[in-house]
Amino acid sequence: MIPSDFRDFFVNSPATVQQEIVASLLSLSLQESEVKDSNEAKAVTCPHCSEKRVRANGKLKGVQRYVCNGCKKNFSETTGKFWYNIKKKEKLNRYLYCLLSGYSIRKSAEETEISIQTSFDWRHKLLTSFSSVSVEEFQGIVESDDLFFAYSEKGGRHLGRKPKMRGEKASKAGISDEKVAVVATCDRSGNKDFKVATRGRISKEDLNRILKGKLDKADVLCSDSHRSYGAFAKANTIAHKKFNTSKGQRTVDKVYHVQNVNNMDMRLRKFMDSFNGVATKYLQNYLNWFLVLEKIKNSTSKMATVTAIAFASNSAWYEYKQQLFNMLIRT
């Protein structure tokens, strides 16, 4: 369920190397720092209101607690982290091993000796924390493309239609509201991003919401000939090179093309195929997972660094909670 090159590297590595990788990730992400002076306390930010003026407020079960001078709320080092309120933290080491090995939710539950529901919850708490690796800015020559996945209510109990069998084709031909559009963007510096955009065709407004402010340092935007990209580039005064690959247009001036983003799309589809369908409400989580694995696949040290950044997200627990709330509203 993860790119085969990294999975094979991890699974075929000696046990000592595997343990070192997992231990380094956990030590970077789960470390509980102690506040030794007021300067360190000032470096902590309130997860509720982002206020930097906080003060230490004792410890609870070995975890440092704080009180915010702004909103007056109490919080701890783990508030908002993906492992917040997890009762069996000692099993995270083994669960992370299962995640890196590409195990299914059921097999991860068996290996870690937790319930299937807990395994499912842990996976999505982890994947939600990966949202912090989203690219904030692209530069130079930027390539962008849209790709589509079938709209899925997998796992839903109250459907407004007849249930569909796995692999069943959409009832409408072409691109319709039965498809979910994902905007893929990359530059020549290696920055990559995927964002769920909308159901059906993307519009200039969708591109504005996803890309506006991220292309301030871009020299040229390369895309297919879809009108939304042209309108977006014109509105944001960005030089635009468009390609119609169906007519054999591949490159312009031997420099401008969309081959990198198309290759990225192909790898994403291969990654997603291994899950036999993903519920649309969780699609962004899996896009984030793919981005993290893309960043870490060539270097174990890079893996530790990037994953530590993802695990350091202060909003993972709140985002996961919001997903559950939205799911309850829909049903």
Side-chain angles (χ1 to χ4, degrees):
M1 292 184 180
I2 60 178
S4 58
D5 49 359
F6 173 75
R7 182 184 61 220
D8 292 343
F9 161 76
F10 182 80
V11 173
N12 295 325
S13 296
T16 54
V17 175
Q18 293 178 344
Q19 292 171 3
E20 183 179 350
I21 292 172
V22 174
S24 64
L25 293 178
L26 290 175
S27 65
L28 285 167
S29 60
L30 301 178
Q31 59 185 342
E32 296 176 351
S33 58
E34 295 185 359
V35 177
K36 298 180 180 178
D37 54 46
S38 59
N39 290 331
E40 290 188 29
K42 291 178 181 178
V44 178
T45 302
C46 175
H48 303 291
C49 67
S50 300
E51 174 63 60
K52 294 183 179 180
R53 295 178 299 126
V54 302
R55 62 182 185 274
N57 191 30
K59 290 186 177 183
L60 179 63
K61 296 181 180 180
V63 178
Q64 181 66 54
R65 295 192 61 79
Y66 305 92
V67 61
C68 176
N69 289 343
C71 65
K72 308 301 181 183
K73 291 183 179 180
N74 287 279
F75 63 94
S76 72
E77 292 177 325
T78 62
T79 301
K81 308 288 188 181
F82 81 86
W83 65 90
Y84 180 63
N85 272 353
I86 285 182
K87 307 301 182 185
K88 301 177 180 179
K89 293 184 177 67
E90 70 279 1
K91 294 182 180 288
L92 281 174
N93 188 307
R94 183 61 183 172
Y95 191 82
L96 185 56
Y97 170 87
C98 295
L99 187 73
L100 295 176
S101 299
Y103 291 175
S104 66
I105 289 175
R106 185 179 296 275
K107 186 174 181 180
S108 297
E110 294 173 354
E111 291 286 328
T112 318
E113 297 182 343
I114 57 178
S115 69
I116 293 176
Q117 183 61 52
T118 298
S119 178
F120 178 87
D121 292 341
W122 283 15
R123 168 178 285 189
H124 285 285
K125 285 180 180 180
L126 280 163
L127 297 189
T128 302
S129 72
F130 290 160
S131 63
S132 61
V133 300
S134 179
V135 176
E136 295 298 327
E137 193 172 57
F138 296 94
Q139 57 186 346
I141 300 175
V142 179
E143 302 175 29
S144 189
D145 188 25
D146 56 339
L147 63 158
F148 297 87
F149 295 92
Y151 177 74
S152 172
E153 295 182 80
K154 183 178 181 180
R157 296 179 181 273
H158 304 283
L159 304 179
R161 54 167 175 77
K162 290 184 178 180
K164 293 182 179 180
M165 300 296 291
R166 179 182 297 170
E168 185 176 338
K169 294 183 178 180
S171 60
K172 301 176 183 177
I175 298 173
S176 66
D177 60 357
E178 294 186 21
K179 299 285 187 180
V180 178
V182 172
V183 174
T185 312
C186 68
D187 61 23
R188 304 295 169 83
S189 300
N191 295 313
K192 306 170 186 175
D193 201 17
F194 288 100
K195 290 294 182 188
V196 175
T198 186
R199 292 175 66 175
R201 285 283 187 187
I202 61 171
S203 64
K204 185 185 78 171
E205 288 70 29
D206 295 321
L207 293 175
N208 264 321
R209 175 170 48 84
I210 293 171
L211 296 178
K212 190 173 180 62
K214 294 186 176 184
L215 303 183
D216 293 342
K217 293 185 178 180
D219 298 324
V220 178
L221 174 63
C222 301
S223 73
D224 59 20
S225 55
H226 194 281
R227 289 178 295 179
S228 297
Y229 278 103
F232 167 78
K234 183 177 180 180
N236 291 275
T237 61
I238 302 172
H240 183 219
K241 301 288 185 181
K242 59 182 180 180
F243 303 85
N244 191 334
T245 54
S246 62
K247 293 184 178 180
Q249 296 178 341
R250 301 292 180 183
T251 61
V252 173
D253 299 331
K254 298 182 180 180
V255 175
Y256 305 111
H257 56 76
V258 289
Q259 295 174 14
N260 292 319
V261 73
N262 286 339
N263 185 268
M264 193 168 73
D265 292 349
M266 180 186 66
R267 296 198 304 275
L268 173 65
R269 288 193 181 280
K270 185 177 180 181
F271 169 76
M272 296 297 293
D273 285 345
S274 63
F275 295 102
N276 295 319
V278 170
T280 298
K281 61 189 175 187
Y282 294 125
L283 179 57
Q284 187 62 57
N285 285 354
Y286 285 85
L287 298 179
N288 295 339
W289 189 5
F290 175 77
L291 286 171
V292 169
L293 293 172
E294 280 284 293
K295 290 176 180 290
I296 68 180
K297 65 182 180 181
N298 295 323
S299 169
T300 56
S301 60
K302 187 181 295 185
M303 177 187 66
T305 303
V306 175
T307 309
I309 294 173
F311 284 5
S313 170
N314 287 323
S315 60
W317 188 82
Y318 296 108
E319 291 175 14
Y320 176 74
K321 189 177 179 181
Q322 186 62 43
Q323 286 181 351
L324 294 181
F325 176 77
N326 292 339
M327 182 173 62
L328 291 173
I329 292 297
R330 292 193 191 99
T331 56

